[in-house]
Amino acid sequence: MSRIVLDVSVSLDGFTTGPNVREEEPMGDGGERLHEWHAGNGPDGEIDLGVLRQSEETVGATLIGRRTFDLGLGPWGGTPFPGIPSFVVTHRTREDLLGDNGGTFAFDGLQAAARRAKQAAGDKDVWVLGADVARQLLGAGLLDEMRIHLVPLLMGEGTPLFAGERAGLILQGKPVTGAVTHLRYRVRRDA
């Protein structure tokens, strides 16, 4: 059975992007620094690459927000993961869109998109891309797990990962540290 998983890089001060997110800078000013660990550079970079590979092997579908879709379509050249279906959470539904990389975008409301993404993922995970969608899923009780990659940066401003949401989290395994600290939490349903 698939799980809905937030897998996100976040600064020490809680931001998932830099300030001034826009088409020319989809991650905001300086926001790409949050993903530099994906290259495996820095101290113990091979640890980071191992975490990234292991995580990406679990992706069966993605849930993304409309803004993330609008900003990411160009740089991604299609869906965020080639050939993997993406479900865009939006109030402005439209016909499915086939990405240049073989993945399909489907557009639906939160509950329907989550249900469809879980069906499409099969026994793999549904990855959540976008802080706003993550907050909506958490509020609706639909988020199962969080994989947080804590990047040693202070962004100062940008898109906050959480903004007043409350949840009980249960640490899964021990934190893994490379150039960043990798944490896994199960979301408690009774929180």
Side-chain angles (χ1 to χ4, degrees):
M1 181 70 158
S2 65
R3 299 168 298 172
I4 297 180
V5 176
L6 171 64
D7 190 293
V8 64
S9 296
V10 64
S11 65
L12 288 175
D13 52 352
F15 296 103
T16 61
T17 72
N20 304 315
V21 171
R22 59 196 183 281
E23 190 173 331
E24 302 80 33
E25 291 290 338
M27 288 296 300
D29 297 334
E32 284 299 328
R33 294 173 38 208
L34 291 166
H35 296 119
E36 287 177 351
W37 67 271
H38 289 191
N41 300 329
D44 297 319
E46 69 279 354
I47 293 171
D48 297 321
L49 288 177
V51 168
L52 182 64
R53 274 192 301 274
Q54 188 177 32
S55 291
E56 287 184 344
E57 288 173 358
T58 70
V59 180
T62 65
L63 274 169
I64 63 177
R66 181 61 190 239
R67 177 91 168 127
T68 301
F69 165 77
D70 289 342
L71 292 171
L73 184 58
W76 293 328
T79 55
F81 296 93
I84 301 289
S86 291
F87 296 84
V88 181
V89 176
T90 181
H91 298 291
R92 296 177 286 152
T93 59
R94 57 174 274 187
E95 293 294 317
D96 289 356
L97 172 68
L98 180 61
D100 292 340
N101 62 4
T104 300
F105 289 99
F107 301 80
D108 220 325
L110 182 71
Q111 298 280 343
R115 184 183 69 255
R116 293 174 66 194
K118 285 182 84 164
Q119 289 170 344
D123 61 352
K124 291 196 168 194
D125 293 332
V126 176
W127 269 25
V128 178
L129 304 177
D132 183 58
V133 169
R135 289 190 295 266
Q136 289 179 53
L137 290 162
L138 184 62
L142 297 172
L143 191 61
D144 298 307
E145 184 177 308
M146 294 184 200
R147 297 178 193 154
I148 297 183
H149 310 286
L150 195 56
V151 181
L153 290 172
L154 296 174
M155 298 300 291
E157 58 184 315
T159 304
L161 179 55
F162 299 110
E165 289 76 21
R166 298 174 66 134
L169 304 175
I170 300 168
L171 186 63
Q172 301 295 290
K174 293 184 179 195
V176 176
T177 303
V180 304
T181 300
H182 308 278
L183 304 157
R184 282 181 70 171
Y185 296 98
R186 183 171 49 85
V187 178
R188 282 183 36 196
R189 295 290 181 222
D190 60 347

